[in-house]
Amino acid sequence: MTLEERSNLVLAFARVLYVNGQATDQTLDATERLGDTLGLRAKIMPRWGELQLQAEDGDARLISAVAADPTGVDMDRVASTMRAIEELGAGRLAPGTAMEAITKISKTPPAPTWLFTLAAAVGAVALAVIFGVQHLAAAALIFVSAGFGAILRRSLAHYSANVYLQPFCASLVAGVIGALAVRYELSSSLRLVAVCPCMVLVPGPHVLNGALDLIKGRIHLGSARLIYAGLVIVAISTGLLFGLALLGVSFPVDPAGRAVPLWVDTLAAGVAVFAYSVFFSTPLHMLAWPVAVGMLAHALRWGALTVFGASAATGALVACLIVGLILTPVSRRWHMPFAAIGFASVVSMIPGVFLFRMASGLVQLAEGSHTTLELISATTADGMIAVTIILAMSFGLIIPKLAIDRFSERATQARP
């Protein structure tokens, strides 16, 4: 193979990993190993929207680039790509057929629409159970709303590549259905019928990958990931609040949820983790780890909040530390994107309710007609709580990962 052909092969593998949710460090490490296998000194330079490769073979040098937006999460594609790299290194996959293999992997279809829809509906109901939904009618509306939103998202994907249109439209539907539920007294003041279908849209893996990049000093890429995630959350909040406002329903300042028994919280968490794993196209044989760890994490969080009276941020930190300690070696062993399985395991701890309430408060303050000290205080408090929980979750997941990755690197370097 020529230098250009080998460079294109490395770049193709790197792109599949990058755009499907693999962490930047793991993407760079995998492509470097692939370059060694192909006799290249390969260096990938990632940025938002592009991957650039500098390849050297003796005195020959080539710089090439490919467009790549890291907006997706597909664990099946990532795991398949990592296995293909291992097979190339072991000689079980010939370099001449590797391009065909990676092209096929990149086109692997996501979860079928019926399964994606069912996962969205069941996942939203599971989140509602965790937050204390009390009526079967409300749970049924949440199921219908989230399911319809999932079908709408898949349909829109055929007509537009805009990354904000799908979450906006799905949350708009949730807002309208939630408003109807309030009008017909089928939803409590918690507005769970409106909120829970929107919770399944929050782009948690991109927040975690962005935080990892910032900690590693990739300021531009990390900032871009976080800005993207923030804009998606803005699109979700806008759609939700607009849908509620169409029927004159507000999003009041209320507690974020009601306490539920430990067994209910733990089982519902397992269902939510399973649903999110389906969103991320997790292979069936890999589902056991995130589901089991997610249930354990929720049990620990429940104990921290209920038994020890800890804050929501502290409970999330404790749970995420355990998740990070267990799932970091698991993600390395099974080639799963850590951000995806980590987020799936702690999904219901994401402070979506606080973010949506903060957005509602900011809208009311902007209107100026209902500005009160209580509204200002509540909006500020919601924002601070949301930021604190997100930071606690990010550090809880990332610190064990960084420590274990560092230990593994030293162990690898120490081998003769």
Side-chain angles (χ1 to χ4, degrees), residues 400-416:
K401 174 174 171 53
L402 294 177
I404 293 173
D405 285 347
R406 182 60 177 165
F407 177 80
S408 298
E409 289 173 6
R410 288 184 176 180
T412 301
Q413 294 171 358
R415 292 174 186 169

Side-chain angles (χ1 to χ4, degrees), residues 43-405:
K43 181 180 180 181
I44 290 285
M45 289 160 281
R47 63 184 68 181
W48 187 270
E50 181 185 70
L51 282 178
Q52 188 177 94
L53 170 67
Q54 178 180 302
E56 298 179 6
D57 183 5
D59 295 331
R61 180 180 178 186
L62 179 67
I63 296 177
S64 52
V66 65
D69 292 322
T71 57
V73 180
D74 192 309
M75 293 176 59
D76 189 22
R77 292 177 184 174
V78 169
S80 298
T81 301
M82 297 295 286
R83 282 196 302 270
I85 292 174
E86 283 191 350
E87 290 175 358
L88 271 165
R92 294 188 297 271
L93 178 63
T97 60
M99 182 60 79
E100 181 182 348
I102 193 61
T103 300
K104 183 178 179 181
I105 291 171
S106 69
K107 295 179 180 179
T108 303
T113 299
W114 71 266
L115 183 58
F116 180 81
T117 301
L118 182 62
V122 172
V125 173
L127 292 175
V129 171
I130 292 172
F131 282 101
V133 68
Q134 294 181 321
H135 303 292
L136 184 60
L141 280 174
I142 291 169
F143 184 93
V144 171
S145 176
F148 184 77
I151 294 173
L152 180 60
R153 289 163 63 192
R154 281 291 175 90
S155 300
L156 289 171
H158 294 295
Y159 300 101
S160 174
N162 188 295
V163 292
Y164 308 115
L165 182 62
Q166 293 181 41
F168 171 79
C169 291
S171 60
L172 175 63
V173 169
V176 171
I177 294 177
L180 289 172
V182 171
R183 284 294 185 90
Y184 290 97
E185 299 182 353
L186 297 174
S187 179
S188 69
S189 59
L190 293 176
R191 302 292 190 264
L192 293 179
V193 173
V195 168
C196 290
C198 295
M199 289 282 288
V200 299
L201 306 173
V202 176
H206 301 292
V207 174
L208 295 180
N209 275 335
L212 280 168
D213 283 329
L214 287 179
I215 289 175
K216 286 290 187 174
R218 303 184 189 97
I219 305 301
H220 293 293
L221 180 56
S223 300
R225 288 187 190 271
L226 292 179
I227 290 172
Y228 166 70
L231 290 175
V232 172
I233 292 172
V234 169
I236 297 168
S237 302
T238 303
L240 170 63
L241 297 178
F242 184 59
L244 290 169
L246 285 175
L247 296 178
V249 175
S250 63
F251 200 80
V253 177
D254 271 312
R258 302 184 181 93
V260 297
L262 173 61
W263 70 271
V264 173
D265 184 89
T266 304
L267 288 178
V271 174
V273 174
F274 181 88
Y276 269 81
S277 298
V278 170
F279 294 162
F280 303 149
S281 299
T282 305
L284 291 178
H285 68 277
M286 295 182 180
L287 285 174
W289 276 108
V291 170
V293 174
M295 294 175 70
L296 172 62
H298 263 267
L300 292 172
R301 176 180 176 273
W302 187 94
L305 269 61
T306 305
V307 178
F308 297 101
S311 66
T314 302
L317 176 63
V318 171
C320 290
L321 282 170
I322 298 301
V323 170
L325 284 170
I326 296 175
L327 289 185
T328 297
V330 170
S331 69
R332 294 174 67 91
R333 172 64 180 83
W334 295 104
H335 306 309
M336 295 186 285
F338 175 78
I341 61 173
F343 174 72
S345 299
V346 298
V347 57
S348 63
M349 301 179 200
I350 290 289
V353 174
F354 292 105
L355 292 172
F356 301 147
R357 283 167 47 189
M358 179 186 69
S360 176
L362 290 174
V363 169
Q364 294 179 56
L365 289 173
E367 292 175 349
S369 57
H370 302 290
T371 301
T372 63
L373 184 60
E374 181 182 2
L375 177 60
I376 295 173
S377 176
T379 302
T380 303
D382 286 337
M384 292 300 295
I385 292 172
V387 170
T388 303
I389 294 175
I390 290 173
L391 288 175
M393 293 179 65
S394 298
F395 280 107
L397 290 170
I398 290 171
I399 289 174
K401 174 174 171 53
L402 294 177
I404 293 173
D405 285 347

